[in-house]
Amino acid sequence: MIPPAAGPTLRISHRRFLANIDAVRMRIAPSELMLVMKDDAYGHGLEWAVDAARGDVDLFGGYDIPTSLRIAARAPGARVFAWATSAQHEVEEALHAGVELGVGTTAYLRRVIAAAERLGRRARVHLKIDTGLRRNGMRPEEWPEAVAEAAAAQRAGLLDVAGVWSHLAEASDEEDDAAAAEFRRAVAAVRTAGARPAALHLTASAASWWRPELRGSVCRIGAFCYGIRSADGPEIPGVRPIAALTAPVIAADGDGGDAVIGIGALHGLPSTLAGVRIATPAGLRELTRIDELRSSVRGWPGAAPGQEVRLFGPGAHGEPDATALAERIGTVGEEIVTRLTPAVGRVVTAA
Ligand SMILES: *Cc1c(COP(=O)(O)O)cnc(C)c1O
């Protein structure tokens, strides 16, 4: 009854990934793209993505140091930025590999300076000002002292202040404008202290695309390069999802119209997605329930094992995009893709 069908698969288009990167780079020029690759390149798989992008992209964002080291090993000559506050031994590995570090606390600044001193290697740091998000970053009141310490370490040959950065809440234009003003004050203070940071970066996908006046010399962009639009946001011209999630039919009751597909909650498909319409060879059909390893589709009399459904993708078969699924359950498209477990195969195709 149940054939040894292939399992659920994320089918990824190499061509679309490069096309998105191109569209993003054109849009943000002359700002430089930092391609953000955290969470295993947003669930698409890090290694192939670095291989694909490295001819076009010279600056990568790895979030944590282990991820950044993987990128650096695969893209010799590229610059890699790691902004997770990390332990001393990781900082030392980062300095060895030439990974640039985001520094959002005075304590971490001192740790990086100490590591540079021990290794006899200059650290390249990007100082982070907290412009209101209050997640990570130095508050304006601690900024002058941190900048003075960084400038002194630069004069001592221990580090270069290569950048100043922050992260926007993107909750409202007014808040983002206030954050940008705070950011400009922070940059001015760094210049007054004698440093000349070349990389100024504040914006991620949405603000980089829609708020050109907030772009710095660098834009940190993940989502749009993978074709994931913002929740409740519009389609982005020239940007398409690069991946489609497929699952095989593993059982069907003939004329009854009910089919069972081989994907479920344990593959990372939120069970709250029940009710969504997915693409089948017969057209859009309702996903009625999501169990641990399988799910049910209703109203599909011709279903037969070996056929394949598409749960999300670029829409060529009418399937929703990942963000449309996310909107149903109050989350973001990134979450839908990054939750998929390693049990979901990743297949990268040229087309
Ligand atoms: C994830 C992340 C980004 C990229 O955001 P997107 O919306 O995916 O483009 C940029 N900056 C920081 C600090 C991030 O954590």
Side-chain angles (χ1 to χ4, degrees), residues 36 38 42 83 165 167 204-205 220-223 334:
V36 176
K38 66 189 178 203
Y42 289 49
W83 63 91
W165 68 295
H167 199 47
S205 286
R220 300 183 309 270
I221 299 185
E334 292 88 320

Side-chain angles (χ1 to χ4, degrees), residues 34 36 38-39 42 63 81 83 128 135 165-167 170 202-206 208 219-226 228 230 334:
M34 179 193 293
V36 176
K38 66 189 178 203
D39 295 326
Y42 289 49
Y63 173 62
F81 179 57
W83 63 91
K128 184 176 187 189
R135 269 216 301 252
W165 68 295
S166 189
H167 199 47
E170 292 187 351
L202 183 60
T203 55
S205 286
S208 296
C219 298
R220 300 183 309 270
I221 299 185
F224 285 9
C225 290
Y226 305 95
I228 302 170
S230 312
E334 292 88 320

